[in-house]
Amino acid sequence: MPEMPNPEFLRRAIALATQNVVRGEGGPFGAVVVRAGKIVGEGANAVTATNDPTAHGEIVAMRAAAQALGTFTLAGCELYSSCEPCPMCLAAAYWARLDAIYYGACAADAARAGFDDAILYAEMRKDPAMRTMPSAQLLGEEAWASFAAWLASPNRVDY
Amino acid sequence: MPEMPNPEFLRRAIALATQNVVRGEGGPFGAVVVRAGKIVGEGANAVTATNDPTAHGEIVAMRAAAQALGTFTLAGCELYSSCEPCPMCLAAAYWARLDAIYYGACAADAARAGFDDAILYAEMRKDPAMRTMPSAQLLGEEAWASFAAWLASPNRVDY
């Protein structure tokens, strides 16, 4: 079971979000990753500042934590985010094997501030053919070759 | 409307995926970002090689394309991925404003090769309280302060 949330870590995430806006460095989102009661990584939205559409506060914080800990898994860690994670950041939290997510503002708040999180959650739920993002499969059989190589690889690192 | 898919770009993505496995550098996933018929960014899974749980092939390719183009939006670009993007990468494609996604293997293929994409899509569709990732909101009112600062900011860069 994850530890009980500590509001002070969330206050730090909120402070990072507000500071990011005041400094003109990006969107109003901040996050910290905590392990055993200590912050091991933090970040704020850096999409426009670094020309990286994936640099949401949570992603920046998770990357920083993984670097600091020298690992690609954050099992045993909790994420504190100033806002409910968007689908990108929520899925990243699963891949990182985080123990829990604690957040301040909700997706509806983000929508009121002009961010698309709620729309994105709706898109995720749709059948691919019904999404606003066009997508199509091709070369399905050829593409299996990469997985065949993976399954046959003697020195693969599972993750 | 996005351009018609060109299988050669997908073959490049599949080659990057297979090469990544053969070189022992990471998972069997590769991707390229194409603009006006030219590759502007490419990447392969680098989760274990770089200790970055978010370094999926598509994310690496999108970051590379944004850096190469000097912009935080990839409108006018298409993503070619050796495999159907997971929810993290799909949501990233929306944030990057990509025109379209073309992929080789599907999520069910990835599951057969040992990857959790299908489970993750199911998690995304669930009500937060029903997900395997515990999450909770706290300090909802305090957290609005970051959005208030954003809405009041005279020099914000919308994205």
Side-chain angles (χ1 to χ4, degrees):
Chain A
M1 275 295 293
E3 297 193 27
M4 285 292 292
N6 180 335
E8 288 313 310
F9 293 129
L10 190 54
R11 290 200 172 97
R12 173 64 185 157
I14 297 167
L16 286 166
T18 304
Q19 172 185 295
N20 205 44
V21 174
V22 170
R23 292 183 180 170
E25 292 175 348
F29 301 95
V32 301
V33 175
V34 172
R35 187 186 184 188
K38 223 183 122 187
I39 293 176
V40 292
E42 49 179 47
N45 181 286
V47 169
T48 55
T50 64
N51 283 335
D52 181 350
T54 73
H56 286 194
E58 299 95 322
I59 299 276
V60 175
M62 283 188 263
R63 279 187 205 143
Q67 290 303 307
L69 298 173
T71 170
F72 55 83
T73 164
L74 298 175
C77 299
E78 302 106 41
L79 176 70
Y80 287 79
S81 178
S82 64
C83 182
E84 186 176 356
C86 80
M88 174 177 75
C89 296
L90 176 63
Y94 278 88
W95 289 122
R97 319 293 179 198
L98 282 168
D99 281 14
I101 298 170
Y102 302 116
Y103 59 90
C106 65
D109 293 331
R112 279 197 289 151
F115 296 94
D116 295 343
D117 302 43
I119 294 169
L120 256 190
Y121 270 105
E123 285 290 306
M124 295 290 125
R125 288 191 200 97
K126 289 182 190 169
D127 186 80
M130 303 302 291
R131 292 184 186 134
T132 60
M133 174 73 68
S135 70
Q137 182 181 25
L138 53 157
L139 306 185
E141 287 192 33
E142 276 182 56
W144 178 258
S146 305
F147 289 138
W150 174 255
L151 293 171
S153 175
N155 58 349
R156 69 173 191 253
V157 180
D158 288 317
Y159 62 94
Chain B
M1 276 295 292
E3 296 192 28
M4 286 291 292
N6 180 336
E8 288 314 309
F9 293 129
L10 191 53
R11 290 200 172 95
R12 173 64 186 158
I14 295 167
L16 286 166
T18 304
Q19 172 184 293
N20 205 44
V21 174
V22 171
R23 292 184 178 167
E25 293 177 346
F29 301 95
V32 301
V33 175
V34 173
R35 187 186 183 188
K38 223 183 122 189
I39 293 176
V40 292
E42 49 180 45
N45 180 285
V47 168
T48 55
T50 64
N51 283 333
D52 181 351
T54 72
H56 285 194
E58 300 94 321
I59 300 274
V60 176
M62 283 188 263
R63 278 186 204 144
Q67 290 303 307
L69 297 172
T71 168
F72 55 84
T73 163
L74 298 175
C77 298
E78 302 106 41
L79 177 70
Y80 287 79
S81 177
S82 64
C83 182
E84 186 176 355
C86 80
M88 174 177 75
C89 297
L90 176 64
Y94 277 89
W95 288 123
R97 318 294 179 198
L98 282 168
D99 280 16
I101 298 171
Y102 303 116
Y103 59 90
C106 65
D109 293 330
R112 279 197 290 150
F115 296 94
D116 295 343
D117 302 42
I119 293 169
L120 255 190
Y121 271 105
E123 285 289 307
M124 294 290 125
R125 289 189 199 96
K126 290 182 189 168
D127 186 80
M130 304 301 292
R131 292 184 186 134
T132 59
M133 175 72 68
S135 69
Q137 181 180 26
L138 52 156
L139 307 184
E141 287 192 36
E142 275 181 58
W144 178 257
S146 305
F147 290 138
W150 174 257
L151 292 172
S153 174
N155 57 349
R156 71 175 189 250
V157 180
D158 288 318
Y159 62 95

